[in-house]
Amino acid sequence: MRRHRIALVLLAATLLIGGCAEAAPEHVGSPNVSYTEPPLPAAAAPAPETSAAPPAPEKDCGDPTASLRPFPDSDTPMPTVDAIRARGRLVVGLDTGSNLMSFRAPATGAVEGFDVDVAREISRDLFGDPDRLDYRILTSANREKALQESMVDIVAKTMTITCDRKERVAFSSEYFEAQQRVLVVKGSTIRSAADLGGKRVCVVRGTTSLTRLQKVAPTAEILTVPMWSDCLVVLQQRQVDAVSTDDTILAGLASQDPYLEIVGDSMGAEPYGIGITKANEDLVRFVNRTLERIRGDGTWTRMYDQWLSVLGPSPAPPSAVYQD
Ligand code: GLU
Protein backbone atom coordinates (compact mmCIF):
# COMPACT_ATOMS: atom_id res chain seq x y z
CA MET A 1 0.00 0.00 0.00
CA ARG A 2 2.81 2.34 0.97
CA ARG A 3 4.82 1.34 -2.09
CA HIS A 4 1.79 2.09 -4.21
CA ARG A 5 1.52 5.61 -2.77
CA ILE A 6 5.22 6.32 -3.46
CA ALA A 7 4.75 5.20 -7.04
CA LEU A 8 1.82 7.61 -7.46
CA VAL A 9 3.84 10.53 -6.04
CA LEU A 10 6.69 9.72 -8.41
CA LEU A 11 4.33 9.54 -11.35
CA ALA A 12 2.79 12.93 -10.47
CA ALA A 13 6.28 14.47 -10.09
CA THR A 14 7.33 13.10 -13.47
CA LEU A 15 4.22 14.51 -15.10
CA LEU A 16 4.79 17.86 -13.40
CA ILE A 17 8.42 18.06 -14.46
CA GLY A 18 7.51 16.90 -17.95
CA GLY A 19 4.81 19.56 -18.18
CA CYS A 20 7.15 22.28 -16.98
CA ALA A 21 9.87 21.21 -19.40
CA GLU A 22 7.43 21.50 -22.25
CA ALA A 23 6.27 25.00 -21.30
CA ALA A 24 9.76 26.43 -20.76
CA PRO A 25 11.44 28.09 -23.77
CA GLU A 26 14.22 26.02 -25.18
CA HIS A 27 17.39 26.86 -27.03
CA VAL A 28 18.00 24.52 -29.90
CA GLY A 29 21.74 24.16 -30.47
CA SER A 30 23.76 27.06 -29.12
CA PRO A 31 22.19 28.91 -26.16
CA ASN A 32 23.51 32.17 -27.68
CA VAL A 33 20.67 33.44 -29.83
CA SER A 34 22.01 34.49 -33.19
CA TYR A 35 20.19 36.52 -35.85
CA THR A 36 20.99 36.77 -39.52
CA GLU A 37 19.93 39.67 -41.72
CA PRO A 38 17.36 38.71 -44.36
CA PRO A 39 18.85 38.68 -47.86
CA LEU A 40 18.58 41.86 -49.94
CA PRO A 41 16.44 41.77 -53.11
CA ALA A 42 18.20 40.36 -56.18
CA ALA A 43 20.40 42.97 -57.88
CA ALA A 44 20.32 45.40 -54.94
CA ALA A 45 23.46 47.53 -54.91
CA PRO A 46 24.84 50.71 -53.39
CA ALA A 47 24.37 53.72 -55.65
CA PRO A 48 27.45 54.53 -57.70
CA GLU A 49 29.70 57.16 -56.06
CA THR A 50 28.82 60.64 -57.24
CA SER A 51 31.22 62.67 -55.16
CA ALA A 52 34.26 61.62 -57.29
CA ALA A 53 33.11 63.45 -60.41
CA PRO A 54 31.41 66.87 -60.50
CA PRO A 55 27.68 66.42 -61.20
CA ALA A 56 26.82 66.55 -64.91
CA PRO A 57 25.21 69.90 -65.78
CA GLU A 58 21.47 69.58 -66.33
CA LYS A 59 20.42 69.64 -69.98
CA ASP A 60 18.37 72.68 -70.95
CA CYS A 61 15.67 72.33 -73.59
CA GLY A 62 13.42 75.15 -72.46
CA ASP A 63 10.15 73.87 -70.98
CA PRO A 64 10.62 70.07 -71.03
CA THR A 65 6.84 69.49 -70.94
CA ALA A 66 6.32 71.22 -74.33
CA SER A 67 5.03 68.57 -76.74
CA LEU A 68 3.55 68.29 -80.24
CA ARG A 69 0.14 69.79 -80.94
CA PRO A 70 -2.65 67.35 -81.85
CA PHE A 71 -3.54 67.28 -85.59
CA PRO A 72 -6.40 69.73 -86.30
CA ASP A 73 -8.33 67.07 -88.25
CA SER A 74 -8.34 63.33 -88.70
CA ASP A 75 -7.39 63.46 -92.42
CA THR A 76 -3.67 63.90 -91.76
CA PRO A 77 -1.75 60.67 -92.50
CA MET A 78 -0.76 58.83 -89.32
CA PRO A 79 1.48 55.87 -90.24
CA THR A 80 2.22 54.70 -86.69
CA VAL A 81 -1.39 55.03 -85.61
CA ASP A 82 -2.54 53.13 -88.74
CA ALA A 83 -0.07 50.31 -88.00
CA ILE A 84 -1.32 50.00 -84.40
CA ARG A 85 -4.92 49.95 -85.62
CA ALA A 86 -4.05 47.27 -88.19
CA ARG A 87 -2.45 45.19 -85.43
CA GLY A 88 -5.56 45.61 -83.32
CA ARG A 89 -3.75 46.06 -79.98
CA LEU A 90 -1.83 48.87 -78.27
CA VAL A 91 1.36 47.57 -76.62
CA VAL A 92 1.89 49.34 -73.30
CA GLY A 93 5.02 49.24 -71.14
CA LEU A 94 4.24 49.52 -67.45
CA ASP A 95 4.85 48.12 -63.99
CA THR A 96 2.59 45.74 -62.07
CA GLY A 97 3.94 46.62 -58.62
CA SER A 98 3.09 50.34 -58.36
CA ASN A 99 -0.17 50.30 -56.43
CA LEU A 100 -2.55 53.11 -57.40
CA MET A 101 -0.68 53.73 -60.70
CA SER A 102 -0.32 50.28 -62.29
CA PHE A 103 -0.65 47.08 -60.29
CA ARG A 104 -2.38 43.75 -60.25
CA ALA A 105 -5.61 43.97 -58.28
CA PRO A 106 -5.23 41.16 -55.72
CA ALA A 107 -8.83 39.93 -56.05
CA THR A 108 -9.07 39.76 -59.84
CA GLY A 109 -5.49 39.72 -61.14
CA ALA A 110 -6.44 42.55 -63.53
CA VAL A 111 -3.87 45.30 -64.13
CA GLU A 112 -5.34 48.57 -62.81
CA GLY A 113 -4.47 52.10 -61.75
CA PHE A 114 -4.22 55.70 -62.90
CA ASP A 115 -1.53 55.02 -65.54
CA VAL A 116 -3.49 52.01 -66.80
CA ASP A 117 -6.58 54.19 -67.17
CA VAL A 118 -4.63 56.73 -69.25
CA ALA A 119 -3.60 53.86 -71.55
CA ARG A 120 -7.22 52.62 -71.67
CA GLU A 121 -8.39 56.06 -72.82
CA ILE A 122 -5.80 55.98 -75.64
CA SER A 123 -7.09 52.52 -76.61
CA ARG A 124 -10.66 53.87 -76.54
CA ASP A 125 -9.73 56.57 -79.07
CA LEU A 126 -7.76 54.12 -81.25
CA PHE A 127 -10.24 51.27 -81.34
CA GLY A 128 -13.47 52.47 -79.74
CA ASP A 129 -12.65 49.95 -77.00
CA PRO A 130 -10.61 50.73 -73.85
CA ASP A 131 -9.38 47.18 -73.41
CA ARG A 132 -7.34 46.49 -76.54
CA LEU A 133 -4.12 46.60 -74.52
CA ASP A 134 -1.13 44.25 -74.38
CA TYR A 135 1.16 44.79 -71.42
CA ARG A 136 4.92 44.53 -71.25
CA ILE A 137 6.27 44.72 -67.71
CA LEU A 138 9.16 47.14 -67.41
CA THR A 139 11.54 48.25 -64.70
CA SER A 140 12.10 52.00 -64.43
CA ALA A 141 15.57 51.62 -65.95
CA ASN A 142 14.18 49.73 -68.99
CA ARG A 143 11.62 52.31 -70.08
CA GLU A 144 13.77 54.21 -72.57
CA LYS A 145 15.29 51.06 -74.07
CA ALA A 146 11.83 49.53 -74.58
CA LEU A 147 10.83 52.60 -76.59
CA GLN A 148 14.10 52.88 -78.51
CA GLU A 149 13.88 49.22 -79.54
CA SER A 150 10.14 49.53 -80.31
CA MET A 151 9.25 46.74 -77.88
CA VAL A 152 6.26 48.85 -76.85
CA ASP A 153 4.13 51.57 -78.50
CA ILE A 154 3.86 53.65 -75.35
CA VAL A 155 5.24 53.70 -71.82
CA ALA A 156 2.64 54.55 -69.16
CA LYS A 157 4.76 54.23 -66.07
CA THR A 158 5.11 57.28 -63.81
CA MET A 159 7.68 58.60 -66.29
CA THR A 160 8.99 62.10 -65.62
CA ILE A 161 9.51 64.33 -68.65
CA THR A 162 13.09 65.66 -68.61
CA CYS A 163 15.29 67.41 -71.17
CA ASP A 164 17.84 64.61 -70.81
CA ARG A 165 15.29 61.88 -71.61
CA LYS A 166 13.90 63.92 -74.52
CA GLU A 167 17.22 63.42 -76.32
CA ARG A 168 16.35 59.72 -76.63
CA VAL A 169 12.54 59.43 -76.47
CA ALA A 170 9.49 61.61 -77.09
CA PHE A 171 6.81 62.51 -74.57
CA SER A 172 3.14 63.41 -74.68
CA SER A 173 2.01 66.57 -72.96
CA GLU A 174 2.04 66.43 -69.16
CA TYR A 175 -0.81 64.34 -67.72
CA PHE A 176 0.07 64.46 -64.01
CA GLU A 177 2.38 66.41 -61.73
CA ALA A 178 3.81 64.24 -58.93
CA GLN A 179 6.05 65.46 -56.09
CA GLN A 180 9.12 63.64 -54.79
CA ARG A 181 8.85 62.96 -51.06
CA VAL A 182 10.06 60.57 -48.34
CA LEU A 183 8.47 57.40 -46.90
CA VAL A 184 9.44 56.16 -43.42
CA VAL A 185 8.22 53.84 -40.66
CA LYS A 186 5.82 55.76 -38.37
CA GLY A 187 7.67 57.30 -35.44
CA SER A 188 10.97 57.58 -37.36
CA THR A 189 13.23 60.51 -36.48
CA ILE A 190 13.32 61.33 -40.20
CA ARG A 191 10.70 64.04 -40.68
CA SER A 192 11.79 65.43 -44.06
CA ALA A 193 14.47 65.18 -46.75
CA ALA A 194 16.71 67.39 -44.58
CA ASP A 195 17.05 64.47 -42.11
CA LEU A 196 18.34 61.96 -44.69
CA GLY A 197 22.07 62.76 -44.23
CA GLY A 198 23.92 59.58 -43.17
CA LYS A 199 20.67 57.56 -43.33
CA ARG A 200 20.07 54.47 -45.47
CA VAL A 201 17.66 55.30 -48.31
CA CYS A 202 16.21 52.98 -50.97
CA VAL A 203 15.62 54.15 -54.55
CA VAL A 204 15.20 52.47 -57.93
CA ARG A 205 17.95 52.71 -60.54
CA GLY A 206 17.37 54.72 -63.73
CA THR A 207 15.04 57.23 -62.07
CA THR A 208 14.91 60.96 -61.49
CA SER A 209 14.31 60.06 -57.83
CA LEU A 210 17.90 58.79 -57.58
CA THR A 211 19.47 61.84 -59.21
CA ARG A 212 17.46 64.26 -57.07
CA LEU A 213 18.21 62.34 -53.88
CA GLN A 214 21.94 62.43 -54.63
CA LYS A 215 21.67 66.21 -54.97
CA VAL A 216 19.43 66.87 -51.96
CA ALA A 217 21.07 64.39 -49.55
CA PRO A 218 24.63 63.79 -50.80
CA THR A 219 25.69 61.99 -47.61
CA ALA A 220 22.78 59.52 -47.57
CA GLU A 221 23.74 55.86 -47.89
CA ILE A 222 21.77 54.93 -50.98
CA LEU A 223 20.64 51.38 -51.79
CA THR A 224 19.40 50.91 -55.37
CA VAL A 225 17.01 48.13 -56.39
CA PRO A 226 15.20 47.22 -59.65
CA MET A 227 11.58 47.99 -58.60
CA TRP A 228 9.71 50.13 -56.06
CA SER A 229 8.14 47.04 -54.50
CA ASP A 230 11.71 45.99 -53.56
CA CYS A 231 12.04 49.26 -51.62
CA LEU A 232 8.88 48.40 -49.66
CA VAL A 233 10.39 45.06 -48.59
CA VAL A 234 13.76 46.48 -47.50
CA LEU A 235 12.01 49.24 -45.52
CA GLN A 236 9.77 46.67 -43.80
CA GLN A 237 12.83 44.57 -42.99
CA ARG A 238 14.55 47.69 -41.58
CA GLN A 239 17.43 47.31 -44.04
CA VAL A 240 16.91 50.98 -44.95
CA ASP A 241 15.54 53.95 -42.99
CA ALA A 242 13.56 55.58 -45.81
CA VAL A 243 12.39 55.39 -49.43
CA SER A 244 12.30 58.49 -51.64
CA THR A 245 10.36 58.90 -54.86
CA ASP A 246 7.14 60.35 -56.29
CA ASP A 247 4.22 60.76 -53.88
CA THR A 248 2.06 58.65 -56.23
CA ILE A 249 4.35 55.64 -55.80
CA LEU A 250 4.98 56.24 -52.08
CA ALA A 251 1.21 56.45 -51.44
CA GLY A 252 0.87 53.08 -53.21
CA LEU A 253 3.53 51.54 -50.94
CA ALA A 254 1.96 53.11 -47.83
CA SER A 255 -1.45 51.71 -48.85
CA GLN A 256 0.04 48.24 -48.34
CA ASP A 257 1.41 48.83 -44.83
CA PRO A 258 -0.33 50.81 -42.05
CA TYR A 259 3.00 51.33 -40.22
CA LEU A 260 4.42 53.56 -42.96
CA GLU A 261 3.94 57.29 -43.54
CA ILE A 262 4.96 59.94 -46.06
CA VAL A 263 6.84 62.86 -44.47
CA GLY A 264 8.22 66.28 -45.40
CA ASP A 265 7.47 68.78 -48.12
CA SER A 266 7.98 68.20 -51.82
CA MET A 267 11.62 67.80 -52.84
CA GLY A 268 10.63 68.83 -56.38
CA ALA A 269 7.98 68.39 -59.09
CA GLU A 270 7.86 65.33 -61.36
CA PRO A 271 5.77 66.06 -64.48
CA TYR A 272 4.58 62.78 -66.02
CA GLY A 273 4.29 62.19 -69.75
CA ILE A 274 3.44 59.14 -71.84
CA GLY A 275 6.74 57.93 -73.33
CA ILE A 276 6.73 57.34 -77.11
CA THR A 277 9.41 56.28 -79.62
CA LYS A 278 11.08 59.43 -80.90
CA ALA A 279 10.33 58.87 -84.59
CA ASN A 280 6.59 58.30 -84.02
CA GLU A 281 5.47 61.93 -84.05
CA ASP A 282 1.99 61.08 -85.29
CA LEU A 283 1.43 58.90 -82.22
CA VAL A 284 2.59 61.75 -79.94
CA ARG A 285 -0.01 64.03 -81.54
CA PHE A 286 -2.69 61.32 -81.33
CA VAL A 287 -2.01 60.70 -77.61
CA ASN A 288 -2.07 64.45 -76.98
CA ARG A 289 -5.56 64.60 -78.48
CA THR A 290 -6.71 61.89 -76.05
CA LEU A 291 -5.16 63.82 -73.16
CA GLU A 292 -7.00 66.97 -74.29
CA ARG A 293 -10.25 64.99 -74.29
CA ILE A 294 -9.83 63.50 -70.80
CA ARG A 295 -8.81 66.87 -69.31
CA GLY A 296 -11.97 68.44 -70.71
CA ASP A 297 -14.69 65.79 -70.36
CA GLY A 298 -14.30 64.98 -66.66
CA THR A 299 -12.51 61.64 -67.23
CA TRP A 300 -9.22 62.89 -65.71
CA THR A 301 -10.94 64.06 -62.52
CA ARG A 302 -12.86 60.77 -62.25
CA MET A 303 -9.57 58.87 -62.58
CA TYR A 304 -7.90 61.06 -59.96
CA ASP A 305 -10.79 60.58 -57.54
CA GLN A 306 -10.74 56.83 -58.06
CA TRP A 307 -7.00 56.29 -57.57
CA LEU A 308 -5.22 59.29 -56.10
CA SER A 309 -7.55 60.98 -53.63
CA VAL A 310 -5.16 59.89 -50.82
CA LEU A 311 -2.90 62.68 -52.10
CA GLY A 312 -5.59 65.30 -51.40
CA PRO A 313 -8.61 66.75 -53.20
CA SER A 314 -8.40 66.63 -56.98
CA PRO A 315 -6.23 69.39 -58.45
CA ALA A 316 -7.04 70.63 -61.95
CA PRO A 317 -5.34 68.46 -64.59
CA PRO A 318 -2.05 70.00 -65.77
CA SER A 319 -2.65 72.07 -68.89
CA ALA A 320 -0.89 71.11 -72.09
CA VAL A 321 2.07 73.11 -73.39
CA TYR A 322 2.89 72.80 -77.11
CA GLN A 323 6.14 73.58 -78.84
CA ASP A 324 4.62 74.13 -82.30
N1 GLU B 1 9.13 59.60 -61.91
C1 GLU B 1 10.37 58.95 -61.69
C2 GLU B 1 11.06 58.67 -62.99
O1 GLU B 1 10.47 58.79 -64.03
C3 GLU B 1 10.24 57.65 -60.90
C4 GLU B 1 9.13 56.78 -61.38
C5 GLU B 1 9.44 55.30 -61.61
O2 GLU B 1 10.51 54.82 -61.27
O3 GLU B 1 8.56 54.63 -62.17
O4 GLU B 1 12.22 58.33 -63.02
Side-chain angles (χ1 to χ4, degrees):
M1 181 69 197
R2 184 159 172 203
R3 217 191 288 157
H4 189 68
R5 209 180 305 146
I6 291 171
L8 269 179
V9 169
L10 279 178
L11 180 67
T14 315
L15 284 175
L16 200 65
I17 291 165
C20 283
E22 224 161 76
E26 269 188 311
H27 288 296
V28 177
S30 159
N32 301 319
V33 177
S34 79
Y35 174 78
T36 48
E37 280 291 321
L40 287 169
E49 246 355 289
T50 47
S51 47
E58 260 176 47
K59 304 253 163 46
D60 184 12
C61 61
D63 181 349
T65 68
S67 184
L68 299 171
R69 195 173 288 279
F71 290 123
D73 51 58
S74 48
D75 302 341
T76 323
M78 295 189 284
T80 318
V81 173
D82 291 345
I84 294 169
R85 283 190 167 133
R87 188 202 299 139
R89 315 282 295 176
L90 177 69
V91 184
V92 185
L94 43 60
D95 181 13
T96 49
S98 289
N99 285 37
L100 308 181
M101 297 305 282
S102 62
F103 67 108
R104 269 194 196 283
T108 60
V111 181
E112 295 183 350
F114 188 92
D115 273 341
V116 177
D117 279 353
V118 175
R120 293 179 78 239
E121 292 306 318
I122 299 167
S123 170
R124 189 192 302 280
D125 287 347
L126 280 167
F127 304 111
D129 174 355
D131 293 317
R132 297 262 206 115
L133 302 175
D134 280 347
Y135 300 124
R136 301 280 179 273
I137 311 234
L138 300 178
T139 60
S140 301
N142 282 342
R143 290 173 294 188
E144 285 180 27
K145 187 166 175 266
L147 289 170
Q148 287 174 310
E149 296 180 359
S150 295
M151 286 158 53
V152 296
D153 297 316
I154 63 169
V155 165
K157 182 184 158 14
T158 52
M159 191 168 187
T160 300
I161 309 167
T162 68
C163 290
D164 177 54
R165 287 178 176 163
K166 279 180 91 171
E167 296 197 340
R168 296 174 295 279
V169 298
F171 284 99
S172 71
S173 60
E174 181 183 353
Y175 68 88
F176 190 82
E177 185 181 79
Q179 307 293 330
Q180 183 166 352
R181 295 180 69 194
V182 176
L183 182 75
V184 295
V185 176
K186 280 182 183 163
S188 163
T189 55
I190 299 169
R191 300 323 295 161
S192 74
D195 301 324
L196 292 177
K199 293 288 196 295
R200 300 166 305 170
V201 189
C202 182
V203 283
V204 164
R205 284 188 281 280
T207 63
T208 50
S209 320
L210 172 59
T211 40
R212 181 179 278 111
L213 181 68
Q214 286 172 321
K215 246 177 260 156
V216 172
T219 62
E221 207 183 291
I222 301 174
L223 179 76
T224 67
V225 290
M227 302 188 113
W228 291 109
S229 45
D230 296 320
C231 280
L232 174 62
V233 173
V234 291
L235 182 61
Q236 289 173 322
Q237 294 182 157
R238 306 297 195 272
Q239 291 163 304
V240 294
D241 306 300
V243 179
S244 180
T245 183
D246 309 341
D247 50 1
T248 47
I249 296 170
L250 295 182
L253 299 182
S255 73
Q256 299 170 70
D257 187 333
Y259 298 102
L260 304 181
E261 65 176 340
I262 298 176
V263 294
D265 293 332
S266 170
M267 297 159 69
E270 299 285 325
Y272 290 166
I274 297 295
I276 296 168
T277 305
K278 212 165 179 189
N280 299 343
E281 290 196 359
D282 60 322
L283 184 57
V284 177
R285 293 183 197 275
F286 186 92
V287 168
N288 283 345
R289 179 183 289 288
T290 297
L291 295 179
E292 294 235 324
R293 176 177 65 74
I294 68 171
R295 283 186 197 104
D297 70 1
T299 305
W300 190 97
T301 304
R302 253 197 323 277
M303 284 162 43
Y304 182 95
D305 289 343
Q306 181 176 359
W307 300 111
L308 298 174
S309 55
V310 284
L311 298 176
S314 170
S319 32
V321 176
Y322 298 119
Q323 66 192 52
D324 55 349

